[in-house]
Amino acid sequence: MLKMHDIITKKQDGRELDEEEIAFFVKGVTDGSIPDYQISALLMAIWFRGMTEEETITLTEYLADSGETNELPSVKGKKVDKHSTGGVGDKVSLIVGPMVAAANKGIYVPKMAGRGLGFTGGTLDKLESCAGVNTEISATEFEKIVADLGFCIAGQSKRLAPADAVLSALRDVTCTHNSIPLIAASVMSKKLASGSECIVLDVKCGSGGFCKTVRDATELARLMVRIGARENRKTIAIITDMSSPLGSAVGNSVELIEAIRVLEGKGDEQLTELCITVAANMLYIANAGNYEECVSLVEETLYDGSALDKLAELVERLGGDKRYIYDTNLFEESNVTAMLVADKSGYITKIDAMEVGKAASVLGAGRDVMGEQIDNTAGIILNKRIGDRIEEGEALATLQAKNLERAQLGMEYLFKAVTIGDTKPEERKIIIKTIGA
Ligand code: URA
């Protein structure tokens, strides 16, 4: 008879777990028969000892099978899923879902998203900052919206890969989140369970992502692409820079507003470039044309306003007021607005993504524990990017908060996140490399 004690010891010794052991572990995680402390002990052993590719694939398959799958039978067309490994200022899903749907090539985007925790934001919180929007909808409603609009962004069904939800929550509090096999199994199990034939992964690399180096991000990307291939899912992984926040807004309503600007064709250059790349790859992988044609298709949706209309339609179907999408002045204003100014002249050499994420969180945009109420209006708008010239006393960023105490604390964090130097740094590319398909 298998015992968790023996499985933990085996992994502590650096040995490979077999299928029976992994199946026993995932079953016990799902039905609650293995206590959190033993699950955590195995996670820590995996964090130290790693997993072979075979072990990771087996773990992924059992996690994916731990609940229901989301086949969406009424959706008659190719389904493409997109997943980011998480970062600061990452509002890409809010932009690429509408773009791919608006391209109108019979390709569907059923996007199940999450909430923010710690220094990273969550797509659902950003979308819900629009008055009336509720992303906690039934599986039936989700499927209907995907079929009608070509896409939907909503909360992940609790029945989809439930064992991953348990592992992810424990990884968060036991500092075992940044293990390459555990990230790969977590991401890919959800993608397998979500039933899409094609998967585009945005693997973030830098201080605001789980992978801090290009080497780690490449290893993770390759592993996930190989898992996709083994499971007959066409998978592309794009490694993208997360050493500084994506775009200029970090928070909830500020990020939704920034997403709207991109959909209006007036967005931040690097953010727009990334969204076009991700959306074009989503179409390309689903055989909508050659890559250049796919780029033109998605660019067109920004210029003709069709992608913006798609977002407005989604907001309406989720119970929200779509006028906000066309008039961002309607978004609620924060109680307090503060300005961080430069204490010296020079070039912006660093805007540390993780530190900016922490600053946004203390302003009220993030959560320390699951379920905590967040402040939709709290956040940061950066006026400068890395490489920009700044003069002493010039505004570096605007901070929004509910009260002065939070604004003051956010200011202290943000001040530490930004470095001003004498030499203009080299320009950093947003797309580092693409792997797969
Ligand atoms: N995203 C996930 O879904 N899981 C991880 O472990 C990391 C990023």
Side-chain angles (χ1 to χ4, degrees):
M1 192 183 130
L2 290 174
K3 287 206 182 91
M4 263 314 276
H5 192 278
D6 299 330
I7 296 175
I8 296 166
T9 314
K10 188 172 177 186
K11 184 45 73 183
Q12 266 181 331
D13 293 343
R15 285 180 289 141
E16 189 175 18
L17 302 180
D18 63 29
E19 181 171 350
E20 204 190 348
E21 288 159 335
I22 291 173
F24 171 84
F25 171 62
V26 175
K27 183 175 173 299
V29 169
T30 312
D31 64 21
S33 59
I34 303 176
D36 285 358
Y37 49 82
Q38 282 187 316
I39 300 173
S40 303
L42 183 59
L43 291 172
M44 190 57 87
I46 293 170
W47 189 90
F48 275 109
R49 291 300 201 162
M51 281 185 133
T52 64
E53 190 164 319
E54 272 317 298
E55 271 180 305
T56 310
I57 291 173
T58 307
L59 178 63
T60 307
E61 289 171 346
Y62 277 92
L63 290 176
D65 287 343
S66 66
E68 294 174 3
T69 50
N70 204 15
E71 300 299 341
L72 310 183
S74 66
V75 176
K76 308 284 181 226
K78 270 228 168 93
K79 285 165 280 168
V80 186
D81 208 346
K82 174 258 164 195
H83 194 91
S84 156
T85 56
V88 177
D90 187 355
K91 64 280 291 173
V92 171
S93 293
L94 295 168
I95 304 167
V96 300
M99 284 169 91
V100 172
N104 211 11
K105 298 298 278 184
I107 290 159
Y108 294 82
V109 186
K111 174 75 189 129
M112 293 201 166
R115 297 199 177 274
L117 191 65
F119 69 88
T120 59
T123 298
L124 300 184
D125 298 318
K126 295 168 198 178
L127 192 52
E128 285 184 357
S129 70
C130 178
V133 170
N134 170 28
T135 59
E136 302 297 337
I137 57 174
S138 69
T140 316
E141 188 54 22
F142 181 77
E143 183 167 346
K144 260 180 94 194
I145 297 177
V146 175
D148 293 347
L149 302 187
F151 85 115
C152 185
I153 301 169
Q156 168 134 349
S157 158
K158 305 258 180 304
R159 295 189 297 269
L160 217 76
D164 173 62
V166 176
L167 295 190
S168 291
L170 288 172
R171 283 167 55 216
D172 253 335
V173 291
T174 56
C175 301
T176 50
H177 44 264
N178 57 344
S179 142
I180 288 175
L182 292 178
I183 298 172
S186 165
V187 170
M188 293 307 285
S189 63
K190 288 192 288 268
K191 298 300 101 180
L192 298 185
S194 81
S196 294
E197 296 95 333
C198 307
I199 302 163
V200 174
L201 303 166
D202 182 356
V203 180
K204 300 289 185 198
C205 173
S207 90
F210 285 120
C211 295
K212 308 294 179 202
T213 63
V214 176
R215 198 168 152 208
D216 281 355
T218 305
E219 190 183 330
L220 174 61
R222 288 205 176 120
L223 180 57
M224 292 195 290
V225 167
R226 284 199 297 268
I227 296 174
R230 274 280 288 264
E231 305 297 329
N232 285 323
R233 313 292 167 109
K234 279 171 87 177
T235 308
I236 291 180
I238 307 165
I239 301 180
T240 68
D241 181 60
M242 189 30 79
S243 54
S244 62
L246 186 54
S248 56
V250 182
N252 293 294
S253 59
V254 288
E255 285 199 43
L256 180 54
I257 293 169
E258 185 170 38
I260 292 169
R261 293 288 168 264
V262 175
L263 292 171
E264 290 170 336
K266 300 177 199 152
D268 171 274
E269 234 174 78
Q270 285 205 325
L271 173 61
T272 304
E273 181 192 342
L274 174 55
C275 292
I276 290 172
T277 306
V278 172
N281 272 292
M282 290 168 80
L283 287 179
Y284 173 67
I285 200 173
N287 298 329
N290 67 37
Y291 185 69
E292 288 69 30
E293 285 163 353
C294 293
V295 170
S296 303
L297 278 169
V298 293
E299 279 177 346
E300 191 57 32
T301 69
L302 300 184
Y303 303 137
D304 67 9
S306 56
L308 187 70
D309 291 342
K310 280 286 173 192
L311 180 64
E313 285 174 45
L314 176 66
V315 160
E316 193 166 46
R317 290 290 293 265
L318 296 174
D321 185 344
K322 71 173 182 184
R323 290 175 307 153
Y324 280 58
I325 304 304
Y326 297 110
D327 180 4
T328 54
N329 290 320
L330 292 172
F331 279 88
E332 192 191 342
E333 279 183 21
S334 63
N335 291 347
V336 176
T337 302
M339 199 85 86
L340 178 66
V341 295
D343 62 344
K344 59 178 170 189
S345 299
Y347 292 96
I348 308 286
T349 55
K350 187 173 174 189
I351 306 179
D352 187 285
M354 187 163 80
E355 297 302 325
V356 176
K358 287 183 190 165
S361 194
V362 299
L363 285 168
R367 295 185 181 84
D368 288 326
V369 290
M370 306 265 271
E372 200 177 8
Q373 185 76 26
I374 52 164
D375 173 6
N376 281 332
T377 66
I380 296 166
I381 299 166
L382 297 161
N383 299 336
K384 297 281 178 187
R385 299 207 55 80
I386 292 179
D388 284 351
R389 175 89 200 158
I390 192 158
E391 303 305 326
E392 186 182 338
E394 198 184 340
L396 228 164
T398 305
L399 295 87
Q400 299 181 175
K402 197 158 42 189
N403 54 46
L404 275 173
E405 289 76 20
R406 279 188 180 268
Q408 185 61 41
L409 198 54
M411 194 86 92
E412 285 164 23
Y413 273 81
L414 191 59
F415 182 76
K416 283 188 245 151
V418 181
T419 311
I420 301 174
D422 295 331
T423 318
K424 189 174 163 75
E426 251 181 54
E427 208 179 317
R428 203 182 273 122
K429 288 193 168 40
I430 186 76
I431 312 284
I432 299 172
K433 60 175 141 165
T434 301
I435 290 169

